[in-house]
Amino acid sequence: MIASLATLGALSACSSATGSGAGGAVYTTIDGNNPITVGAPMNPFNASTNTFLGYDTMQLAFSKKNPSDPNDAFPGLAKSWTITPTGITVELQPDAKWSDGTPVTVADVKTSLAIALTQGNATVGAGFLSQGLAVAKVTPVGEHGVRIDQVAGADNLNFGRLVLGQNIVSDKVYGGLLPTDIWETIAASESADTAVAQAAVTKLTTTGKAVSAFAPKADVSAGPFVITRINPGSVVLDRNPHFYDAAKIAPKQVVIRHYTGNEQIWSYMTNGELDSAPYTAIPNNVLTQILGAGYTRKDSVNSVDAAIAFNQSVAPYNLTAVRQALAYVIDRQAVTKVGEPVGGVANKYNTGLIDTAAKTWLSPDQLSALNPYAPDAAKAASLLEGAGFKKADGKWLMPDGKPWTITLQTVNGFSDWIAASTIVANELSDFGIPTKPAITADFATYKKEMAAGKYAVGWWLTALGPQTSKGYQRYYGADDGYTATGATATHSDGGGNWQHGPTQYTLSGATLDPGQLTARLATLDLVAQKPIVQQLAQVSNQEVPLIQIWDYTNVQFTSDKRFTNFPKQGEDAILNNPPGVWMMQGFVKKK
Amino acid sequence: MKAFTRGLLVRLAGGLVMVWIVATFTFFLVHVLPGKPGDAQYEQFVMEGLEPEVARAKVAAIYGFTSHEPLLDQYGGYLWQLLHGNLGISISYSGVPVSHVIGAALPWTVLPVLSGLLVSFLVGVAAGIVAAVRRSSRWGGLLSLSGSIVAGVPSFVLALLLALVFHTELNLLPFGDTSDVSLEPGFNLPYLGSLVEHAVLPVATYALLSYGGWLLAMKSSVVSVLGDDFILASELRGITPRTRMRYIGRNAILPLFTVLALSLGFMFGGAILIEDIFDYPGLGNLLLQSIGQRDYPLMSGAFLLITVAIVLANILAELCYSVIDPRVRR
């Protein structure tokens, strides 16, 4: 039966002109952040959108994710821009047009920013001002210029970057969804009168819902491509002849394929079906197959780190000596080799930042003064004994004489964490702390149970960047009970986080409040941030609120089978953007 | 005819009660799942570089379709909307009607499941008859063995095996979509060929999964019928083997009709795993996605649809049985 069905399939395959690669100018890929979603609209504001950043969804600019300059970006619909403390002036691409032939105008930018403020950037009062996209007004400047002013007093350093990173949609398509008094409503949402502000926010939220549920009949794109057809499992985008830089775009067509799991992406690659592919956790044998199929691996910095976190409200994890001891026991190199052999680099400094960022912010002397927590069972034992722990029959007992066991929590879907947990458990068990990994069914449950304080030790994503304020959020920010209002933070240890750490640390004899320092990071320029980052890095290394195991690497694969001139290893700024942006910047040429 | 109509109405009423019970059960079941819609999305936003406060607010906006009313009020509203044919508004699709989302995915489950069931039923029943009639021969033994082997293989193992052999290794058959996206949908040979090509792996999996069951059940049923007196009588009366086979087939296939309806239900359930492995964008895949995102209306809608399909299949099987077997009507 299977043979006959396969024959039927093979025959039908002969009768169907397979599109991939037809004419040699079809670029096939997968959008790692955005699998095709059956029945979803072509609307970038929908949670399950079937639109694709860098292909048919455009921004004014595309961030280079430069940790030293957050405003550094590749031009998009903005040809150039000037950021000032009060706002940003953008010069639009003079030839920018939508796929229906109409020019991109100030009205499109204004509508898009108003929509952005209905999509969750609007909250009442000071919280709104602290969040960045506090747009006061949008005004035309000359023939192609737009001035976007920040609300007086907002003073958000990231305002310009946030404006540049918003999705720009056609006013002709989306403008009708906004009430005529949208900007008055936005202004009212910042009113000092809480009732007025609340009514305005409610109205904005209602508008936001209408916008996100909207399903345009056809794709209207200002990007290099425009959606021609959506299948349940793939999308075909044709080159947009009206794109302002159409001559740079080599593929006449892009096919973006759906995926539900890593295995499908591996399979497409081993068959050579993709021209570029995003990173997925890959075992070494599959990596060998993929490289054998003609793919080139491109690594770039990824500002995410996998760490083991502690609930410090649970003994003995409230003791710094215990956390330090565990850091000495866990061999991060060995764990990374099993957990993330391809997409991870063992973390060296344990500063709360990825190592690449730590090297940027700390001086060589400061780096060398950090404790590397190289595997050292003797040091670990000494720390534990100093804290009142005793060893009997090869097992460590807690100061109260009770046996010490660890359940290391991880979550289904994170195959790297699950694999790494086995090694960590073996290392800790061998050291005398019986440890067993436990897997939560899915991420929603993991978050729910974390919030309930159910886990004492478990895996967590940290060092999110590239901005340092984000990097330390997981340590001393919202995730650890702090609420920032401008440059100040209030702390409420109400659960919903891993750490429950103290609000004061002593570093080199000086007392510091890590939450306050983290809150200030968002309001300071890079020069002013430096001493604060250095303090936070040093105290994180000293106190070990989390043990950073590996820094993720942004691994991508490209194949020269049909196209050449891909971004190269080391060109992190471009590699950290979608292939549509590569093409806009002149990369990717037909073979 | 009156009796038939009365019977039909009774069965439909029973079916409606069953649907209501299952709808109620699944409504409360999906709401007691731990976790909130948007939890994973929040992490995604934070990883993409949004400030935690902005990420939280953004999640609240795009997942603002979550009801915060008391659960019993939500249940009442759900039933009221259901009576009006409204399955509600999806959370993870930011306000898109559930009926639209399910409608987009449904054909890609129904067509392969029904095709697989039909193929396996026809092939399995025919093979079962041969295996019974030729049970003393090598062919009969081989057929029975083939049925036993495929009946014992778990669905995900079989699906993975087929994917590995026919896609990864031989690169003969595609997966991950319903057709080649570059082809214009319509009643044209390239598109239809591509539809078939993309459906081969899931259909073959469904077919192989149930083929063994049909074969063994039919063989057992035929062997049982072969021992009946009317078969001996028909032989003594000199009725031709062909006519005799018709007698055997008609009598032996009767018990399989009830199983056919039940199989439909099992296959809909099995679609979840199989669609996930082949990345086939049907209802099963949608259900998995909706569970991960805690999209309560979408989960309830998908479960309800599967329930309705099973209930209707059972009613249909009972009606068919009474038509096929006159003894049931007495």
Side-chain angles (χ1 to χ4, degrees):
Chain A
M1 178 163 44
I2 184 64
S4 59
L5 281 167
T7 308
L8 180 63
L11 288 171
S12 60
C14 296
S15 69
S16 69
T18 301
S20 54
V26 179
Y27 188 93
T28 308
T29 188
I30 275 171
D31 187 331
N33 291 326
N34 194 14
I36 317 300
T37 318
V38 64
M42 292 179 287
N43 170 355
F45 304 106
N46 188 281
S48 301
T49 180
N50 273 336
T51 59
F52 304 90
L53 187 66
Y55 298 98
D56 66 325
T57 300
M58 285 294 279
Q59 298 174 349
L60 291 170
F62 296 91
S63 173
K64 293 182 181 178
K65 297 185 175 69
N66 180 348
S68 309
D69 181 6
N71 295 329
D72 195 6
F74 292 107
L77 287 175
K79 188 181 178 186
S80 60
W81 54 89
T82 309
I83 295 172
T84 65
T86 57
I88 175 170
T89 303
V90 167
E91 189 67 22
L92 293 174
Q93 299 278 2
D95 298 326
K97 285 194 177 75
W98 296 101
S99 51
D100 63 4
T102 58
V104 175
T105 65
V106 175
D108 299 319
V109 176
K110 195 170 180 176
T111 293
S112 303
L113 290 173
I115 287 174
L117 291 166
T118 71
Q119 296 298 304
N121 288 307
T123 56
V124 175
F128 172 34
L129 297 187
S130 71
Q131 285 179 29
L133 196 69
V135 180
K137 61 179 189 289
V138 181
T139 44
V141 179
E143 196 181 354
H144 299 292
V146 193
R147 169 78 195 162
I148 300 111
D149 284 303
Q150 194 172 182
V151 167
D155 298 332
N156 192 299
L157 288 167
N158 299 322
F159 178 77
R161 183 175 55 81
L162 283 169
V163 168
L164 293 173
Q166 296 303 319
N167 294 329
I168 303 299
V169 292
S170 164
D171 172 60
K172 201 165 83 172
V173 178
Y174 285 84
L177 299 170
L178 300 176
T180 50
D181 63 347
I182 184 72
W183 285 100
E184 289 82 351
T185 309
I186 288 166
S189 72
E190 299 149 34
S191 169
D193 183 333
T194 308
V196 171
Q198 188 58 64
V201 166
T202 303
K203 190 172 175 181
L204 289 177
T205 305
T206 306
T207 304
K209 285 183 182 181
V211 170
S212 61
F214 174 60
K217 285 189 172 60
D219 188 29
V220 177
S221 157
F225 297 93
V226 57
I227 293 174
T228 308
R229 189 176 306 115
I230 300 182
N231 255 21
S234 51
V235 169
V236 65
L237 301 101
D238 281 315
R239 192 164 45 206
N240 175 9
H242 299 287
F243 180 59
Y244 61 83
D245 230 347
K248 276 185 181 170
I249 311 301
K252 72 176 171 86
Q253 211 172 62
V254 166
V255 170
I256 298 175
R257 305 192 73 164
H258 173 72
Y259 74 98
T260 51
N262 297 348
E263 296 81 1
Q264 282 120 12
I265 300 180
W266 304 341
S267 182
Y268 292 142
M269 281 201 279
T270 50
N271 283 340
E273 293 172 47
L274 302 177
D275 294 294
S276 63
Y279 171 71
T280 59
I282 299 175
N284 273 322
N285 62 322
V286 177
L287 176 65
T288 307
Q289 278 183 292
I290 286 167
L291 297 176
Y295 284 88
T296 308
R297 174 181 165 170
K298 312 275 169 73
D299 293 8
S300 56
V301 170
N302 188 351
S303 297
V304 185
D305 186 281
I308 290 175
F310 303 99
N311 182 344
Q312 292 183 37
S313 66
V314 178
Y317 308 106
N318 54 324
L319 303 172
T320 302
V322 166
R323 299 192 302 271
Q324 288 175 334
L326 293 176
Y328 278 120
V329 176
I330 296 167
D331 182 344
R332 300 191 297 278
Q333 292 282 0
V335 175
T336 304
K337 205 171 279 183
V338 172
E340 266 297 350
V342 179
V345 177
N347 182 277
K348 185 177 174 185
Y349 297 115
N350 206 67
T351 58
L353 300 168
I354 58 168
D355 285 344
T356 313
K359 287 174 189 166
T360 306
W361 289 95
L362 276 72
S363 68
D365 286 347
Q366 287 170 327
L367 283 172
S368 60
L370 295 170
N371 187 342
Y373 294 102
D376 191 331
K379 273 187 184 171
S382 162
L383 280 163
L384 291 177
E385 283 161 358
F389 287 73
K390 288 185 177 65
K391 206 167 186 181
D393 299 329
K395 302 277 191 294
W396 284 96
L397 302 175
M398 291 204 277
D400 60 5
K402 289 181 181 167
W404 181 16
T405 61
I406 294 177
T407 300
L408 178 57
Q409 202 69 33
T410 181
V411 59
N412 190 30
F414 285 70
S415 56
D416 49 355
W417 293 2
I418 293 167
S421 291
T422 311
I423 306 301
V424 173
N426 288 344
E427 289 175 345
L428 294 173
S429 299
D430 290 348
F431 177 70
I433 311 165
T435 302
K436 64 175 195 309
I439 303 173
T440 307
D442 69 0
F443 199 79
T445 310
Y446 197 62
K447 291 256 320 189
K448 174 88 175 177
E449 293 184 338
M450 269 170 47
K454 195 176 170 182
Y455 310 136
V457 185
W459 287 86
W460 198 222
L461 293 164
T462 60
L464 311 171
Q467 289 76 40
T468 53
S469 58
K470 291 189 188 65
Y472 282 113
Q473 277 292 338
R474 284 276 154 116
Y475 276 53
Y476 317 115
D479 292 297
D480 196 25
Y482 288 92
T483 304
T485 307
T488 56
T490 52
H491 186 259
S492 168
D493 196 17
N497 58 82
W498 272 109
Q499 292 148 59
H500 300 278
T503 54
Q504 289 204 326
Y505 287 125
T506 304
L507 179 71
S508 308
T511 302
L512 59 86
D513 180 335
Q516 297 296 344
L517 291 178
T518 300
R520 284 177 61 199
L521 285 176
T523 64
L524 298 171
D525 63 28
L526 296 168
V527 175
Q529 281 182 41
K530 197 154 193 165
I532 293 178
V533 172
Q534 289 169 348
Q535 280 183 302
L536 289 171
Q538 288 165 327
V539 85
S540 301
N541 177 266
Q542 172 188 293
E543 298 294 329
V544 198
L546 296 94
I547 302 171
Q548 290 174 265
I549 304 296
W550 64 73
D551 299 345
Y552 279 99
T553 309
N554 182 14
V555 181
Q556 293 184 81
F557 295 92
T558 60
S559 164
D560 283 350
K561 205 156 75 172
R562 289 171 286 266
F563 294 92
T564 57
N565 194 39
F566 285 98
K568 293 179 178 64
Q569 175 91 21
E571 294 176 322
D572 286 16
I574 192 73
L575 281 168
N576 280 322
N577 273 287
V581 178
W582 304 353
M583 295 172 200
M584 285 182 223
Q585 299 307 313
F587 290 93
V588 185
K589 294 294 169 213
K590 196 175 159 187
K591 199 166 182 182
Chain B
M1 195 65 206
K2 267 186 183 175
F4 178 82
T5 309
R6 196 168 50 243
L8 178 64
L9 288 172
V10 167
R11 287 186 181 100
L12 283 173
L16 276 174
V17 171
M18 182 63 69
V19 167
W20 169 70
I21 290 168
V22 173
T24 302
F25 179 72
T26 53
F27 176 86
F28 288 105
L29 181 73
V30 300
H31 278 80
V32 298
L33 282 174
K36 294 199 296 284
D39 274 351
Q41 185 69 67
Y42 168 79
E43 290 306 318
Q44 183 66 34
F45 282 147
V46 169
M47 282 179 71
E48 285 171 15
L50 287 185
E51 298 285 353
E53 292 89 346
V54 178
R56 236 186 295 280
K58 211 170 167 61
V59 165
I62 61 176
Y63 289 91
F65 299 87
T66 313
S67 175
H68 298 290
E69 292 176 339
L71 200 56
L72 278 176
D73 291 358
Q74 285 185 51
Y75 172 65
Y78 169 68
L79 282 186
W80 180 248
Q81 290 297 329
L82 214 56
L83 287 171
H84 293 78
N86 185 355
L87 295 173
I89 295 292
S90 162
I91 296 168
S92 63
Y93 281 71
S94 308
V96 174
V98 166
S99 54
H100 171 84
V101 179
I102 286 178
L106 187 62
W108 309 113
T109 292
V110 171
L111 289 173
V113 163
L114 288 181
S115 306
L117 194 60
L118 188 68
V119 168
S120 67
F121 186 75
L122 294 176
V123 175
V125 163
I129 294 171
V130 175
V133 173
R134 304 246 184 263
R135 58 188 178 282
S136 306
S137 72
R138 196 154 40 118
W139 279 111
L142 279 174
L143 274 174
S144 299
L145 184 67
S146 74
S148 302
I149 289 170
V150 291
V153 179
S155 61
F156 66 93
V157 172
L158 185 63
L160 282 170
L161 193 68
L162 293 183
L164 178 73
V165 173
F166 290 97
H167 180 78
T168 308
E169 294 300 328
L170 299 177
N171 202 11
L172 260 181
L173 294 166
F175 69 55
D177 203 353
T178 55
S179 67
D180 184 337
V181 71
S182 66
L183 298 170
E184 188 69 44
F187 201 75
N188 58 74
L189 189 63
Y191 175 71
L192 294 175
S194 180
L195 272 183
V196 172
E197 182 192 3
H198 281 74
V200 166
L201 283 175
V203 169
T205 309
Y206 294 129
L208 282 169
L209 279 173
S210 49
Y211 151 80
W214 296 127
L215 186 149
L216 298 173
M218 191 64 187
K219 181 191 170 186
S220 157
S221 192
V222 168
V223 169
S224 167
V225 170
L226 283 171
D228 284 350
D229 291 344
F230 76 92
I231 297 294
L232 183 61
S234 66
E235 279 181 36
L236 293 172
R237 283 168 58 201
I239 288 174
T240 61
R242 192 173 168 175
T243 309
R244 213 164 51 238
M245 278 307 293
R246 207 170 63 238
Y247 287 173
I248 293 167
R250 279 190 63 173
N251 280 278
I253 207 167
L254 288 176
L256 271 68
F257 273 98
T258 314
V259 184
L260 185 66
L262 293 172
S263 296
L264 193 67
F266 283 121
M267 287 187 101
F268 268 103
I272 294 172
L273 273 177
I274 291 161
E275 284 178 9
D276 184 49
I277 288 163
F278 293 125
D279 207 5
Y280 204 73
L283 197 61
N285 234 336
L286 190 72
L287 187 57
L288 273 182
Q289 174 195 310
S290 67
I291 291 168
Q293 293 168 322
R294 298 297 187 271
D295 190 338
Y296 307 122
L298 193 52
M299 273 191 270
S300 299
F303 280 130
L304 185 73
L305 201 76
I306 291 170
T307 305
V308 168
I310 294 167
V311 167
L312 284 178
N314 274 292
I315 292 171
L316 192 69
E318 282 187 52
L319 292 174
C320 286
Y321 207 85
S322 64
V323 170
I324 295 163
D325 189 350
R327 292 169 298 184
V328 176
R329 293 201 291 266
R330 285 186 206 131

